[in-house]
Amino acid sequence: MFFDKILIFSDRISELLWIKAIRKSFFALFPFILFGSLALVVTNFPVVSYQQAMLREFGTNWKVFAELLTNLTFGLLGLLLSGSVGYFTAILRTEKVQGINPGLAPLISMLSFLIIAVNLQFHPAEEWLRVDTLNQSNILLAIMSSIISAELFVFLLTVQKKKGWQWKHNPDADLKNAFEVLLPTFLTLIAFMLLRGALIAADIPDINQFLSEVLTSLFRHLHNPLLTGVCFTVLSQILWFFGLHGNNILFPIINGLFVDNLHANIAAVATDGVPPHIITKPFMDSFTMLGGSGATFCLLIAIFLSYRHKNSLRLAKLSLLPSLFNVNELVTFGLPIVLNPIFIIPFILVPVIMLLIAYLATAIGFMPRSITDVQWTIPIFLSGYKTTMSWHGVMIQAINLSVGTALYFPFLRLHHIKADNDFQKEYDRLVHLVQHQPTTKKLKLLKRRDILGQIACSLADEMEIALAKGEFFLVYQPLVNNQDQITCFEALLRWKHTRFGLIPPSLFITIAEESGQIHSIGLKVLEMATQQLAQWQQQGAKNLRVSINLSPLQLKNPQLPFQLTRLLQQTEIHPAAIDLEITEGLELGTDEITDRVITALSDLGLKLAIDDFGMGHTSLLYLRRYHFSKVKIDGSLIRNIDQEKHCQDIVSALVHLAVSQNFTVVAEYIERLQQQQILGSLGCHEYQGYLISEPLAADDCWEFIQKH
Ligand code: C2E
Ligand code: MG
Ligand code: MG
C-alpha cells in the first residue's frame, strides 16, 4: 500500500515536463559524468606509492593537469546542465507547436544561469567565471534558472507569433530567424538581470553562500553530538537529493565541527588522554558514506544481487570502480537518484541508520574512536580499519553494508517496476503508432532515434532467436461460402514474446519488412501452413484450402516460386488449395522481378488474392494483368456496412465490378449476421469474421471443421 502510493506519486512526478527535461539532461550528460568520475579516481587514487610514482614520472604539476579533466566535466557540470536542461525544456514545450524555433534556448539558459550564479565579489571580471561557480555545487540553481529562462523564452516566442510580430517576407531564412529571436532573447536576459539585481538589493549576493549560512546557523543551537550528526546527515542527504553538493554547502559544519573533533581526539591521544569525540570527519566518511553520500555502495550491491534489470546492471558495473573510491556521481545522476522520489527515503534513511549503528558500537566500547585523518577516497573496509585502527571497524562497516543493502532493496524493486511500467507505456505507444498509420505511409521504425526506435530495433534483434525458439506460431481463421460450408482457413501469424506477450502482427510484420527478415519469417509461415493443410487433408478434409498472407516485399524474392514448388512437392498439396493474400497496404512493386515472381506463382497454379482491397492503390485492371483472381474487401468498409449507406454503396460498386471481371469476392470483418446478409445479396462468395469464428489454434480447428 505504502509502496503503491510511492509508485503513483513517482509516476505523477515523472509525467511533469520539467522532470522529463531534467532526466533527459542527466542522461545526455552521462558521458561527461563518467569521464569526470574516472578522472577523479585517477587523480585521488589512495595508494601512496602510486602518488609518489606519478610525482616522480610527471613532476609536481601532474595533478594540476590531471585535474583539468575533472574541472572540465564536474567543474562545469552546472553550466553544462543549464544548457541541456534549457534545450530539453524548450524542445518538449514546443513539441506540438509549429512555426517556433527554440534553437537558441540552450544558450539563453546558460547565460541566464551565469547571470544568477557568477560571484560578483571577485575582481577583476574574468574571475567571475571561476570553476567553483559553475560546478556541481550549483546544480539546483542551474536547473531552476534554465527551466525558467527556457520557458520564458518559448512563451515570448509564442506571444510574438500570435501577435504576428514576425518578419514575413524575408527570403533569407537565417536572417529571419535571427530577427525573430531578438526580442524574446532581450527580454529573457533582462528579466534575469532584474532578478539578480533584486537578490543583491535583498543582500543575497551569492545564493549558495546564503543557503550555506542559513543552514549552518541552524546547527549553532544543537549541543548533543549524536543529534548534530543525525541532523547533518539528513540535511546533507536532502541537499544531495536535489542535486546540491551537500558537503560543499555544509562545509562550515564539517570543518568547524567534525574536523575540530578529530583534532581534539588526536591531541588527547598525544597526551595519553581518552579521545573525547565519537563523531569526527573520518568517522562520518567511513561509516555513513559507504561508496559516497547516500551510502550508494549498498545500492550497487542490491543491484548486483537482484540481477534482473539489464540497464541498472550495466550502470552498476560501470560505477563499481569509482564507487570503490567513494565517487558516486554515476549512480546518483545515472540511475538517477537525484530528484527521483522513489529513492529519497532510503537515500536519507540508510546513512542515518548507519550513523546510529556506528555511534552505538563506539559508545558501548566495541569500536575505538577515530584518531587519524583518513582520506575520503580510501575504499570500504580499508577505511574502516584505518579510521579505528581495529578489525572491529571493518566489522561495523560490514554490518552497515548489509543493513544498507537490505534497506535499499525494496526501493530498488520499486524503481524497476516503474522502469518496466514506463517501458511498457512506450511499447504501447509504438503499437498505437503502427495500428493508426495511414496504410501507404512508410514508418521507418528502425531508423527512429527515440525510444520507440530503440524498442523496434531490439524486437528486430530478437526475431531470429524467437523464430528458432518457436515463439512464432500460426492461428487459423475459417472462411465460409454462401452455403455456410468451411472452404478455407486463413493462416495468421502470432509472436508470443516473453516480455510483451502477444505482439500485434502489424507491428512485427512492419519491423520484419524493414529489417529484411520478412523473407525468413515468410518462408517459415509457408512451411507451417502447408504442413498443417496437408495434415487436415489427410484427416479427410479433401477440399479444404489455406490462405497465406504475403508481404509485397516477398514478391521481390526470386527464390519464392522455387521455395513454394519444393513445399508443394514435400506436402503433396494441390496448388489450387493455396491462396496467397497480398496486402494492399504496401504498394505492389512494378519492377521486373516482382512481375516475374507473380507470373511464376500463377503458373504454378496458386491463387493470388489482394487483401484489404478498396483502400490502397491497386485497380482491378492492374490486378487482372498480374494474374490475381480474388479480392478481399477491406474490413474498414465492411465494419459499418449495415449502418452506413455510403459504405454499402462503395462496397456494392466494388463487388459488382469484381464479379463482372470474374474475381472471387471475399468479405472479412463479418461480426453481425446483417452484414453477411447484405454482402450475400450484393454477390459476395466467401465470408470471414468473428461471427463465424475468431482465429483458432491449429489444434482447435479440426474440432471446428467436424462441428460444421
Ligand atoms: P489481414 O490479412 O487482413 O487479416 C485479418 C485481420 O483481421 C486479422 O488480424 C484478424 O484477426 C482480424 N479479424 C478477422 N475477423 C475480424 C472481425 O470480425 N473483427 C475484427 N475486429 N477483426 C477481425 P491479425 O491477425 O491481427 O492480422 C493483421 C494483419 O497482419 C493481417 O491482416 C495481415 O496483413 C498481417 N499478417 C498476419 N499474418 C501474416 C503473415 O503470416 N504474413 C504477412 N506478411 N502478414 C501477416
Ligand atoms: Mg489476410
Ligand atoms: Mg485483410
Side-chain angles (χ1 to χ4, degrees):
M1 191 63 191
F2 168 67
F3 287 118
D4 283 351
K5 276 194 181 146
I6 298 183
L7 212 54
I8 293 168
F9 178 64
S10 164
D11 261 347
R12 287 219 183 111
I13 296 252
S14 57
E15 283 304 310
L16 298 175
L17 184 141
W18 298 339
I19 297 292
K20 276 188 192 162
I22 295 168
R23 284 181 62 105
K24 280 180 186 288
S25 306
F26 277 131
F27 285 126
L29 295 186
F30 193 75
F32 301 116
I33 295 169
L34 177 62
F35 198 47
S37 300
L38 294 178
L40 208 58
V41 170
V42 170
T43 347
N44 296 303
F45 201 68
V47 173
V48 179
S49 53
Y50 163 82
Q51 294 286 348
Q52 284 169 348
M54 294 299 277
L55 205 66
R56 236 187 356 261
E57 287 298 317
F58 302 108
T60 43
N61 268 346
W62 88 270
K63 260 202 167 171
V64 177
F65 189 70
E67 275 168 2
L68 188 64
L69 298 176
T70 321
N71 286 339
L72 291 180
T73 48
F74 286 149
L76 294 182
L77 204 60
L79 187 66
L80 297 174
L81 199 65
S82 70
S84 62
V85 171
Y87 170 76
F88 286 113
T89 307
I91 289 289
L92 290 173
R93 183 61 74 201
T94 54
E95 219 171 20
K96 294 186 183 108
V97 188
Q98 282 196 340
I100 282 186
N101 181 1
L104 211 59
L107 294 182
I108 292 176
S109 292
M110 285 164 105
L111 283 183
S112 306
F113 166 61
L114 289 178
I115 292 174
I116 291 290
V118 287
N119 194 330
L120 297 172
Q121 287 159 342
F122 295 132
H123 289 289
E126 292 84 60
E127 288 263 314
W128 288 356
L129 293 184
R130 275 166 48 144
V131 158
D132 57 3
T133 54
L134 311 177
N135 64 14
Q136 77 228 70
S137 66
N138 254 339
I139 282 178
L140 188 67
L141 202 57
I143 291 175
M144 279 172 23
S145 62
S146 44
I147 285 178
I148 296 173
S149 66
E151 288 284 10
L152 185 59
F153 178 63
V154 169
F155 171 74
L156 292 169
L157 279 176
T158 321
V159 171
Q160 182 177 269
K161 186 177 162 246
K162 271 194 195 143
K163 299 266 180 208
W165 298 335
Q166 279 170 318
W167 197 354
K168 292 203 177 69
H169 307 294
N170 193 309
D172 186 338
D174 292 336
L175 191 65
K176 182 171 175 277
N177 279 343
F179 271 93
E180 262 170 24
V181 294
L182 214 56
L183 191 62
T185 307
F186 273 7
L187 292 179
T188 310
L189 295 183
I190 287 172
F192 270 80
M193 290 301 290
L194 291 176
L195 183 62
R196 184 73 202 254
L199 286 171
I200 293 172
D203 211 17
I204 307 176
D206 180 335
I207 295 186
N208 261 354
Q209 204 184 333
F210 170 75
L211 202 62
S212 173
E213 278 165 15
V214 171
L215 294 178
T216 41
S217 71
L218 296 177
F219 283 80
R220 273 187 216 120
H221 310 290
L222 288 179
H223 300 296
N224 179 316
L226 181 60
L227 194 62
T228 310
V230 171
C231 288
F232 169 84
T233 310
V234 171
L235 199 60
S236 164
Q237 291 308 119
I238 291 177
L239 290 169
W240 273 112
F241 181 79
F242 285 101
L244 284 161
H245 200 297
N247 291 12
N248 274 6
I249 291 180
L250 300 177
F251 181 74
I253 302 171
I254 298 176
N255 206 33
L257 223 76
F258 303 149
V259 173
D260 282 0
N261 285 357
L262 175 70
H263 290 157
N265 279 6
I266 293 172
V269 172
T271 55
D272 288 337
V274 181
H277 300 290
I278 294 180
I279 296 184
T280 62
K281 182 167 185 306
F283 172 90
M284 294 296 272
D285 285 349
S286 303
F287 295 103
T288 70
M289 299 194 185
L290 304 181
S293 60
T296 45
F297 204 73
C298 306
L299 178 57
L300 289 193
I301 303 288
I303 293 175
F304 283 119
L305 290 179
S306 75
Y307 199 79
R308 202 175 65 87
H309 221 267
K310 264 197 218 154
N311 287 347
S312 301
L313 205 59
R314 218 171 282 155
L315 182 89
K317 280 180 188 161
L318 268 179
S319 0
L320 189 62
L321 180 71
S323 281
L324 258 169
F325 300 98
N326 305 316
V327 176
N328 69 345
E329 272 78 358
L330 267 186
V331 194
T332 44
F333 297 126
L335 201 58
I337 291 178
V338 170
L339 289 174
N340 183 345
I342 290 180
F343 283 118
I344 188 162
I345 297 173
F347 195 63
I348 295 174
L349 199 65
V350 169
V352 170
I353 290 185
M354 288 181 165
L355 172 71
L356 295 177
I357 293 174
Y359 191 92
L360 190 73
T362 321
I364 61 170
F366 177 78
M367 185 170 81
R369 299 178 181 206
S370 55
I371 45 167
T372 40
D373 198 3
V374 180
Q375 212 195 337
W376 62 271
T377 45
I378 303 265
I380 180 171
F381 299 141
L382 198 58
S383 60
Y385 183 79
K386 278 197 153 192
T387 305
T388 57
M389 286 304 184
S390 149
W391 284 107
H392 289 186
V394 180
M395 281 164 72
I396 293 299
Q397 275 192 326
I399 291 173
N400 274 0
L401 188 66
S402 325
V403 172
T405 306
L407 282 172
Y408 264 115
F409 229 97
F411 295 92
L412 179 70
R413 247 200 86 220
L414 217 57
H415 172 73
H416 286 160
I417 291 175
K418 180 165 160 38
D420 285 348
N421 287 351
D422 290 349
F423 195 64
Q424 184 68 35
K425 273 188 208 152
E426 297 298 342
Y427 167 76
D428 293 343
R429 260 182 59 207
L430 180 65
V431 171
H432 183 88
L433 177 80
V434 173
Q435 289 183 335
H436 292 83
Q437 61 154 333
T439 46
T440 49
K441 201 173 132 199
K442 283 197 179 167
L443 282 167
K444 299 207 173 112
L445 295 178
L446 300 181
K447 292 228 165 89
R448 286 175 73 116
R449 316 209 77 228
D450 57 1
I451 177 87
L452 301 196
Q454 284 168 26
I455 298 176
C457 286
S458 72
L459 287 176
D461 290 343
E462 289 169 38
M463 252 177 212
E464 206 179 306
I465 298 172
L467 202 60
K469 278 203 306 199
E471 285 181 17
F472 282 96
F473 62 96
L474 287 176
V475 291
Y476 297 87
Q477 192 175 26
L479 280 81
V480 295
N481 60 14
N482 277 314
Q483 285 74 47
D484 227 11
Q485 294 159 328
I486 302 171
T487 52
C488 179
F489 277 94
E490 176 176 7
L492 294 162
L493 190 57
R494 296 288 178 263
W495 180 3
K496 191 152 197 262
H497 191 269
T498 36
R499 173 159 193 187
F500 298 120
L502 276 178
I503 299 184
S506 46
L507 175 59
F508 67 75
I509 294 288
T510 308
I511 293 175
E513 284 174 342
E514 287 186 19
S515 66
Q517 296 174 89
I518 189 68
H519 299 291
S520 51
I521 290 179
L523 180 60
K524 185 82 187 164
V525 169
L526 289 170
E527 285 169 1
M528 291 192 290
T530 45
Q531 277 162 13
Q532 185 60 63
L533 179 66
Q535 189 189 329
W536 286 331
Q537 290 192 342
Q538 277 161 16
Q539 282 173 299
K542 292 274 177 276
N543 296 323
L544 193 66
R545 303 192 325 267
V546 76
S547 190
I548 302 169
N549 291 286
L550 284 189
S551 156
L553 290 184
Q554 289 176 265
L555 299 178
K556 290 186 194 293
N557 174 15
Q559 294 302 315
L560 185 69
F562 301 109
Q563 290 167 344
L564 270 158
T565 311
R566 181 176 53 85
L567 287 175
L568 288 173
Q569 281 166 355
Q570 279 172 359
T571 52
E572 296 176 359
I573 294 173
H574 194 276
I578 293 189
D579 295 354
L580 297 177
E581 292 185 17
I582 292 130
T583 176
E584 250 212 314
L586 278 183
E587 205 162 352
L588 258 187
T590 47
D591 51 296
E592 204 190 322
I593 299 180
T594 305
D595 214 356
R596 266 195 282 143
V597 169
I598 292 184
T599 312
L601 293 177
S602 153
D603 289 349
L604 274 177
L606 300 160
K607 252 200 206 151
L608 294 178
I610 197 84
D611 203 350
D612 307 329
F613 182 69
M615 299 307 281
H617 359 59
T618 34
S619 73
L620 283 173
L621 273 177
Y622 175 87
L623 293 179
R624 173 61 70 226
R625 188 166 80 82
Y626 274 107
H627 314 276
F628 280 79
S629 58
K630 184 170 169 181
V631 293
K632 269 184 121 168
I633 306 219
D634 191 79
S636 62
L637 290 171
I638 310 268
R639 194 172 291 148
N640 296 325
I641 195 166
D642 51 346
Q643 281 147 12
E644 290 173 21
K645 178 79 174 54
H646 74 271
C647 279
Q648 206 170 331
D649 292 343
I650 296 171
V651 175
S652 168
L654 281 178
V655 175
H656 277 124
L657 197 64
V659 171
S660 72
Q661 296 292 315
N662 283 331
F663 279 91
T664 306
V665 183
V666 184
E668 54 182 350
Y669 275 77
I670 306 283
E671 292 180 349
R672 293 173 296 277
L673 192 60
Q674 229 176 343
Q675 288 171 302
Q676 190 175 357
Q677 285 165 347
I678 295 172
L679 286 154
S681 68
L682 292 176
C684 270
H685 303 102
E686 285 181 326
Y687 309 90
Q688 175 181 359
Y690 292 172
L691 177 69
I692 298 127
S693 166
E694 289 192 11
L696 301 168
D699 291 343
D700 298 333
C701 289
W702 188 245
E703 201 183 320
F704 189 83
I705 294 170
Q706 283 176 325
K707 266 194 198 154
H708 273 68

